[in-house]
Amino acid sequence: MKGIILAGGLGTRLYPSTKAISKQLLPIYDKPMIYYPLATLMLAGIRDILIICTNQDLHRFENLLQDGSQWGVNITYEVQYELQGLADALIIGENFLSGSGCVLALGDNLFFGNKFGTMLRESIENNNKGATVFAYAVRDPSRYGIVELDEDNNAISIEEKPKNAKTNLAITGLYIFDSYATSIAKKIKPSERGEIEITSVNEVYLHENNLKVQILGRGMAWLDTGTHDSLIEAGLFVQTIEKRQGLKIASHEEISWRNNWISDNDLYSITDRLGETEYSSYHRVLLS
């Protein structure tokens, strides 16, 4: 299983903050936004990761994340030259995937919760065929893609931003797809807004009875950080957790160390290069 992070787009909802830089490079409290979806993939045990971004931001992501070897992962990059929708990531990533299934994460989504990594790994193991989406209860379902379930929690319909939603379960920006996802995306006709919709891909799996739904219940947090208000809310959320619990959210160093992808010496070398900072001090404590 491989991972893809879609970090393209213009970030127009965050103008003028994003006129000169990708929104996925804006900070959420103490880390760039892109750190959070990357941490999600690492928690899922994924080590081969493709980041899709705009041409103007490519060198910035490369400077920030490099090739991932410092965290025991392999990061490569592709450019999305035209904004053609979320499912376009499956087409751009075709050579990278080489027939493999993937976890697709949107670059502006943040997930947090107890045993979230375990849930992801189990969902990947149970997704030998088909697709899995992660649903989260929201107060304003008209803003999201909504999934309807039967009494056995099987998906029976998907609606994109419905005026009168049948449920309040929003489909989050995290998807698990089997090896057929790219071929499905290629057959999708662009919508009225000229995009290859991820909802259309999910609907194909739904009609084939191959769409699974994993509900993120109480104790889980999902934040879409694509607006000014949600960006502030996400930053305050991370600050609250980190200050009260003394833990870091989305620390690639800690995740890779706990996954045994890097050694104690590797972690020490990383923190040593960072110098005397609050971030490096946290990781030194892990080694004590």
Side-chain angles (χ1 to χ4, degrees):
M1 187 68 68
K2 297 183 179 182
I4 297 177
I5 299 175
L6 182 56
L10 299 176
T12 51
R13 291 184 297 168
L14 287 168
Y15 267 22
S17 300
T18 51
K19 289 187 69 174
I21 192 172
S22 167
K23 68 178 177 181
Q24 286 88 6
L25 294 172
L26 296 176
I28 296 181
Y29 186 50
D30 58 348
K31 291 171 285 298
M33 187 186 297
I34 190 70
Y35 265 50
Y36 296 88
L38 180 54
T40 294
L41 296 182
M42 293 173 67
L43 285 169
I46 294 174
R47 303 182 72 170
D48 288 318
I49 299 166
L50 172 67
I51 293 178
I52 299 174
C53 60
T54 64
N55 190 47
Q56 68 182 23
D57 292 309
L58 175 61
H59 71 282
R60 298 186 179 108
F61 283 108
E62 290 176 330
N63 288 338
L64 175 66
L65 305 174
Q66 303 173 51
D67 65 0
S69 58
Q70 68 275 26
W71 302 311
V73 301
N74 177 42
I75 298 176
T76 53
Y77 302 86
E78 288 285 354
V79 171
Q80 185 180 39
Y81 290 100
E82 297 182 25
L83 304 182
Q84 298 190 82
L86 305 184
D88 187 41
L90 298 169
I91 300 174
I92 294 173
E94 181 176 16
N95 291 336
F96 164 76
L97 292 174
S98 298
S100 169
C102 73
V103 177
L104 173 62
L106 303 190
D108 59 359
N109 276 223
L110 184 157
F111 296 86
F112 178 79
N114 185 35
K115 297 183 179 179
F116 179 52
T118 301
M119 175 192 294
L120 288 179
R121 292 177 189 240
E122 291 177 350
S123 296
I124 290 171
E125 291 175 0
N126 294 330
N127 197 84
N128 295 325
K129 181 179 180 181
T132 299
V133 297
F134 294 82
Y136 192 85
V138 295
R139 288 195 302 172
D140 47 356
S142 62
R143 292 179 50 203
Y144 304 96
I146 298 299
V147 61
E148 180 186 7
L149 307 178
D150 64 17
E151 58 186 14
D152 296 319
N153 282 342
N154 297 311
I156 56 177
S157 73
I158 297 175
E159 295 180 283
E160 184 64 28
K161 298 180 180 178
K163 292 183 179 180
N164 298 301
K166 298 176 182 177
T167 76
N168 68 337
L169 289 175
I171 298 175
T172 68
L174 185 65
Y175 314 86
I176 303 175
F177 292 114
D178 64 14
S179 59
Y180 295 100
T182 294
S183 61
I184 291 173
K186 284 183 172 182
K187 296 176 183 177
I188 300 297
K189 294 181 179 180
S191 63
E192 292 182 356
R193 57 179 184 170
E195 295 190 354
I196 305 170
E197 304 288 354
I198 198 71
T199 296
S200 298
V201 174
N202 289 330
E203 285 177 336
V204 172
Y205 283 106
L206 174 63
H207 294 152
E208 295 176 348
N209 294 318
N210 282 327
L211 182 68
K212 306 178 187 68
V213 180
Q214 177 69 60
I215 299 175
L216 304 177
R218 292 190 176 187
M220 298 293 300
W222 167 57
L223 299 169
D224 178 346
T225 58
T227 67
H228 293 103
D229 286 343
S230 61
L231 192 65
I232 292 173
E233 290 168 0
L236 292 173
F237 174 83
V238 174
Q239 180 195 44
T240 299
I241 297 297
E242 293 193 351
K243 291 292 185 181
R244 291 185 178 180
Q245 297 188 353
L247 303 172
K248 285 290 181 190
I249 297 176
S251 161
H252 303 153
E253 292 81 4
E254 181 177 5
I255 294 170
S256 59
W257 177 68
R258 294 193 183 279
N259 285 346
N260 294 315
W261 296 347
I262 64 172
S263 66
D264 290 359
N265 287 336
D266 292 329
L267 181 58
Y268 180 82
S269 296
I270 292 172
T271 58
D272 191 52
R273 289 195 299 270
L274 291 174
E276 295 299 324
T277 65
E278 187 271 337
Y279 191 77
S280 61
S281 296
Y282 169 80
H283 293 90
R284 289 193 186 96
V285 170
L286 297 177
L287 293 168
S288 61

